[in-house]
Amino acid sequence: MSNIFVIPDVHLKPWMFDQAMEIMQNTDCERAVCLGDLVDDWGRERDVELYRETLDKAIEFALAFPDTLWCYGNHDLAYLWDQYDHPGYSAKAAGLVRDKLEELQNALAAPENLAIIHRVDNMLFSHAGLTKEFVEVMLYDMQDDVDCILETVNGFGVEELWEENSPLWARPQDGYRFLTMYPEDLFQVVGHTPVKEVLEQKNLITTDTFSTYSNGMVLGNEEFVWVDSV
């Protein structure tokens, strides 16, 4: 594997998948990875049709590229784990989101293509990042076995992952934490934390350039990125 196209946080922007489709069809990218948070956005809780359109576009993309890897985001899992008080949670769209996420998984080449965290060659992909702090607290006895850690994290549920240092919630871009990604010899590609442009810090690449402020103004430059997994 080499060139991997990265789809960062979507947050109810179905047109991102139209652009992603065009890029995949017209470049030498060999695979795509979506970093999650397909759903929810500022003040959109009642717009069920926008939820439907976005998730249908995601499924369309998955059918066209079934080898795509998808990471759950905290907003996506809020619906699967009944976290009703999560910011942006839409009670009106909840059943739809759960059904469409199952449909998305069924569209993929393998069910495990939709997970918390993925490894491709020398890169890890997750919504927010795997930090050393999280590994030391939750996975201390296996911290010398990266693949075992990834398998275990992908089996975790709300009790283990609904906390600030998890691969759903971490913000390693802040302060010193970008120095403590786990493991240090692999690159990590994440979304979750909005940035004005794709941000590279040591072994961490942050890609959430499509998020907006609460008033709808675009925060980032809305640029995609592709990475060399080797």
Side-chain angles (χ1 to χ4, degrees):
M1 192 62 65
S2 184
N3 287 341
I4 296 181
F5 177 66
V6 180
I7 304 171
D9 304 40
V10 175
H11 289 301
L12 299 179
K13 300 177 187 69
W15 50 267
M16 287 177 63
F17 288 107
D18 293 329
Q19 294 185 6
M21 187 87 70
E22 183 177 354
I23 290 169
M24 288 296 293
Q25 291 170 341
N26 293 289
T27 68
D28 61 353
C29 288
E30 300 167 60
R31 195 175 201 177
V33 177
C34 183
L35 298 177
D37 273 3
L38 300 176
V39 296
D40 298 343
D41 202 6
W42 302 103
R44 293 292 192 173
E45 293 87 349
R46 295 179 179 273
D47 195 347
V48 176
E49 286 309 308
L50 184 56
Y51 279 79
R52 186 186 307 277
E53 182 183 359
T54 303
L55 291 164
D56 281 345
K57 284 288 186 180
I59 292 165
E60 180 183 345
F61 188 87
L63 289 169
F65 304 101
D67 287 332
T68 299
L69 300 176
W70 300 74
C71 301
Y72 284 114
N74 52 295
H75 283 269
D76 310 315
L77 285 171
Y79 292 90
L80 299 183
W81 291 346
D82 297 330
Q83 299 300 303
Y84 308 115
D85 59 347
H86 190 283
Y89 185 96
S90 171
K92 287 183 173 293
L96 172 73
V97 172
R98 288 191 289 268
D99 290 345
K100 290 295 184 180
L101 287 176
E102 182 179 357
E103 190 176 341
L104 173 64
Q105 189 168 42
N106 290 336
L108 299 172
E112 57 267 25
N113 281 21
L114 177 58
I116 303 293
I117 191 165
H118 297 282
R119 178 178 182 176
V120 181
D121 300 325
N122 296 320
M123 283 194 162
L124 300 183
F125 298 85
S126 66
H127 182 60
L130 183 64
T131 64
K132 185 177 180 182
E133 291 94 329
F134 181 78
V135 170
E136 288 180 343
V137 171
M138 303 295 296
L139 302 153
Y140 183 81
D141 59 342
M142 59 181 73
Q143 60 182 319
D144 294 327
D145 189 336
V146 176
D147 292 321
C148 184
I149 284 176
L150 302 186
E151 182 179 357
T152 302
V153 169
N154 282 328
F156 277 168
V158 64
E159 291 186 5
E160 297 89 357
L161 293 175
W162 216 251
E163 62 94 15
E164 65 176 1
N165 282 331
S166 85
L168 297 176
W169 288 100
R171 296 197 188 275
Q173 302 81 4
D174 297 338
Y176 70 91
R177 289 188 181 181
F178 78 87
L179 297 174
T180 57
M181 303 305 293
Y182 175 89
E184 292 187 2
D185 60 341
L186 296 180
F187 251 101
Q188 294 199 47
V189 181
V190 304
H192 185 56
T193 297
V195 289
K196 292 188 176 182
E197 58 186 20
V198 174
L199 177 65
E200 183 174 340
Q201 297 166 290
K202 198 177 178 182
N203 62 334
L204 176 69
I205 300 174
T206 305
T207 66
D208 181 12
T209 62
F210 287 82
S211 286
T212 63
Y213 294 103
S214 59
N215 63 4
M217 289 183 59
V218 176
L219 191 153
N221 61 8
E222 295 188 333
E223 286 188 353
F224 291 106
V225 65
W226 50 91
V227 296
D228 187 328
S229 64
V230 178

